[in-house]
């Protein structure tokens, strides 16, 4: 059985390599045209009505979820995966508490943008402002980014001297600390009651909102996919810069990188801060769309799911982690008939990926070569009895 699965996986890998070779052989203008067509298709997806493809829609089944809503979730998860890929895939830091940054971004817009927030009420009373006053949504974007980035630095500064499992345990604790603080700090976060009336680009949720309402999710998806494309461009530029090359050197051998003049702690802190900012941005979009958050939405299961997106998709490859995020967000919604077995299927998929494709479904070429070299070294190493 395992051998058959390996054969199928080998055929799939060869097919992907063939597609990749043909893509690289295309003239530059054809690749640019194909990319533009792909982006247009992404924006067209909420209106998908092409015969033969409508079965992809999650609302084509009985009791299925809103199609645009699922697309929005996929876009937010892709943004999370891109941010986590900077930390895990590029810098090689195992972060199991990424949900903490996601929660900080969400609470940033809730605490400063909602008129129901205790923080906004305190500012209103302190400066004699009207009861309808709150920080504008556009300003909350910068607040969320700055708060997430600073929290990444605060967490990374004392912990990035740890490696491997020790770092993973500390970050896992960080994610839980954020959730527990949000639950118990009722004077600031309203605790388990949560915060409602979180604003969107048009202000607080209202029937008067013409574009970004609670019912029609399509504009929210188009906003999220625009943010994702911008962040993909920015991270790609960063990946090919001196900082990106330093991350790869640290991931492959931190001691060797230090000998060659790379300061590991500084670049690892950069990775942590940038990854935290992207996670906070994703949380910001999530809270703005749903207009309500409470601590139960930021549990450890979601944090593990974020890591699984990177592992399944292909750590170190932005395309791979994006595919992993879409698969893990879309498939449970499309096949709701077997929703009760969702976690069983998820566990089996993780085990199969670890056995057959430890580098992920679409790994980066460099990462795949690195794992292959390590496997060869392990086979050549003498056994110690």
């Amino acid at each position: 059985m395992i051998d058959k699965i390996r054969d199928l996986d080998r055929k799939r890998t060869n097919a992907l390599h063939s597609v990749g070779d043909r893509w690289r052989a295309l003239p530059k203008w054809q690749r640019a045209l194909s990319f533009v067509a792909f982006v247009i298709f992404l924006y067209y997806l909420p209106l998908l009505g092409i015969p033969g493809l409508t079965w992809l829609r999650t609302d084509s089944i009985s009791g299925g979820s809103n199609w645009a809503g699922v697309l929005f979730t996929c876009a937010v998860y892709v943004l999370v995966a891109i941010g986590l890929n900077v930390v895990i895939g590029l810098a090689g830091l195992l972060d199991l508490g990424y949900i903490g940054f996601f929660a900080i971004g969400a609470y940033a817009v809730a605490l400063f943008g909602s008129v129901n927030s205790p923080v906004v009420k305190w500012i209103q009373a302190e400066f004699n402002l009207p009861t309808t006053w709150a920080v504008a949504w556009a300003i909350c974007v910068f607040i969320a980014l700055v708060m997430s980035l600073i929290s990444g630095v605060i967490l990374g500064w004392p912990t990035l001297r740890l490696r491997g499992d020790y770092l993973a345990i500390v970050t896992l604790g960080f994610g839980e600390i954020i959730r527990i603080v949000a639950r118990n700090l009722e004077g600031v976060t309203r605790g388990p009651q949560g915060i409602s009336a979180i604003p969107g680009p048009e202000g607080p949720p209202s029937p008067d909102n013409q574009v970004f309402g609670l019912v029609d999710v399509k504009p929210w998806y188009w906003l999220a996919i625009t943010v994702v494309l911008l962040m993909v461009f920015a991270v790609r530029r960063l990946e090919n810069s001196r900082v990106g090359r330093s991350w790869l050197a640290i991931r492959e051998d931190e001691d060797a990188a230090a000998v060659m003049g790379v300061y590991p702690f500084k670049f690892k802190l950069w990775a942590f801060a940038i990854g935290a900012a992207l996670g906070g941005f994703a949380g910001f979009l999530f809270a703005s769309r749903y207009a309500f958050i409470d601590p139960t939405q930021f549990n450890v299961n979601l944090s593990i799911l974020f890591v699984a997106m990177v592992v399944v998709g292909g750590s170190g490859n932005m395309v791979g982690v994006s595919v992993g995020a879409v698969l893990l967000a879309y498939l449970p919604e499309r096949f709701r008939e077997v929703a009760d077995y969702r976690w069983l299927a998820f566990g089996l998929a993780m085990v199969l990926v670890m056995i057959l494709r430890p580098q992920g479904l679409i790994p980066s070429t460099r990462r795949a070569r690195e794992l292959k070299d390590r496997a060869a070294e392990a086979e050549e190493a003498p056994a110690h009895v």
Side-chain angles (χ1 to χ4, degrees):
M1 181 66 181
I2 294 292
D3 291 337
K4 288 182 180 178
I5 296 176
R6 286 185 190 278
D7 288 339
L8 287 174
D9 182 64
R10 198 173 297 114
K11 291 177 181 175
R12 185 192 62 83
T13 306
N14 292 334
L16 281 177
H17 287 164
S18 175
V19 171
D21 293 339
R22 291 184 180 182
W23 170 258
R24 283 185 286 274
L26 288 175
K28 194 173 182 180
W29 68 269
Q30 288 188 14
R31 281 187 285 171
L33 200 62
S34 302
F35 178 74
V36 171
F38 176 68
V39 171
I40 292 173
F41 181 71
L42 287 179
Y43 280 93
Y44 168 71
L45 271 177
L47 310 172
L48 185 65
I50 300 173
L53 293 180
T54 51
W55 66 274
L56 290 170
R57 297 179 64 108
T58 52
D59 52 6
S60 64
I61 59 174
S62 176
S65 303
N66 181 282
W67 171 232
V70 172
L71 288 175
F72 173 80
T73 303
C74 290
V76 169
Y77 281 9
V78 167
L79 186 58
V80 168
I82 290 171
L84 195 54
N85 184 52
V86 171
V87 182
I88 297 179
L90 299 183
L93 306 168
L94 185 53
D95 184 354
L96 297 182
Y98 201 66
I99 189 67
F101 304 121
F102 187 79
I104 288 171
Y107 269 99
V109 64
L111 291 176
F112 293 97
S114 169
V115 292
N116 293 333
S117 158
V119 174
V120 169
K121 288 181 177 177
W122 177 82
I123 296 174
Q124 291 170 352
E126 193 72 17
F127 297 98
N128 197 25
L129 296 170
T131 55
T132 55
W133 180 90
V135 178
W137 182 82
I139 298 175
C140 289
V141 174
F142 294 100
I143 294 175
L145 285 173
V146 170
M147 285 182 63
S148 306
L149 192 144
I150 291 175
S151 63
V153 173
I154 292 174
L155 173 65
W157 191 272
T159 60
L160 285 179
R161 291 174 175 81
L162 303 175
R163 296 187 186 184
D165 299 341
Y166 300 103
L167 178 63
I169 292 169
V170 171
T171 53
L172 181 64
F174 167 75
E176 279 296 281
I177 287 170
I178 295 295
R179 184 183 65 81
I180 292 170
V181 167
R183 186 177 184 279
N184 293 306
L185 208 62
E186 296 189 12
V188 178
T189 64
R190 291 172 56 87
Q193 296 179 39
I195 300 176
S196 59
I198 299 173
E202 289 184 283
S206 163
D208 297 332
N209 290 347
Q210 298 295 317
V211 180
F212 294 96
L214 292 176
V215 178
D216 187 6
V217 192
K218 291 192 289 295
W220 287 102
Y221 166 71
W222 288 323
L223 173 66
I225 200 68
T226 303
V227 172
V228 168
L229 291 173
L230 290 174
M231 292 303 114
V232 165
F233 175 75
V235 173
R236 180 66 75 189
R237 297 280 296 175
L238 199 60
E239 191 177 339
N240 294 326
S241 70
R242 177 172 171 267
V243 176
R245 289 191 292 273
S246 300
W247 286 339
L248 295 181
I250 293 169
R251 183 193 71 190
E252 293 182 10
D253 193 326
E254 184 174 334
D255 296 328
V259 170
M260 297 303 292
V262 176
Y263 186 29
F265 179 75
K266 182 178 79 172
F267 288 104
K268 287 197 293 186
L269 196 60
W270 267 106
F272 231 70
I274 293 171
L278 289 172
F281 205 171
F284 171 86
L285 289 173
F286 172 83
S288 297
R289 155 69 183 94
Y290 290 100
F292 172 81
I293 57 170
D294 68 62
T296 60
Q297 295 169 308
F298 309 104
N299 54 49
V300 69
N301 289 343
L302 192 56
S303 193
I304 300 301
L305 184 68
F306 290 165
V307 176
M309 293 173 187
V310 176
V311 174
V312 171
S315 176
N317 185 0
M318 214 179 323
V319 175
V321 299
S322 301
V323 169
V326 170
L327 287 177
L328 294 185
Y330 168 76
L331 291 180
E333 296 297 336
R334 178 60 183 81
F335 299 100
R336 293 183 73 88
E337 301 91 345
V338 291
D340 292 341
Y341 303 98
R342 176 182 303 184
W343 290 106
L344 175 63
F346 179 71
L348 288 174
M350 288 293 293
V351 170
L352 288 174
V353 167
M354 287 299 99
I355 293 174
L356 301 171
R357 299 282 297 175
Q359 66 273 41
L361 296 176
I362 310 175
S364 70
T365 308
R366 181 191 292 266
R367 183 65 174 162
R369 196 184 307 130
E370 181 186 331
L371 289 173
K372 188 177 178 181
D373 290 345
R374 288 183 182 177
E377 289 173 4
E379 289 178 0
E380 292 172 1
H384 297 286
V385 179

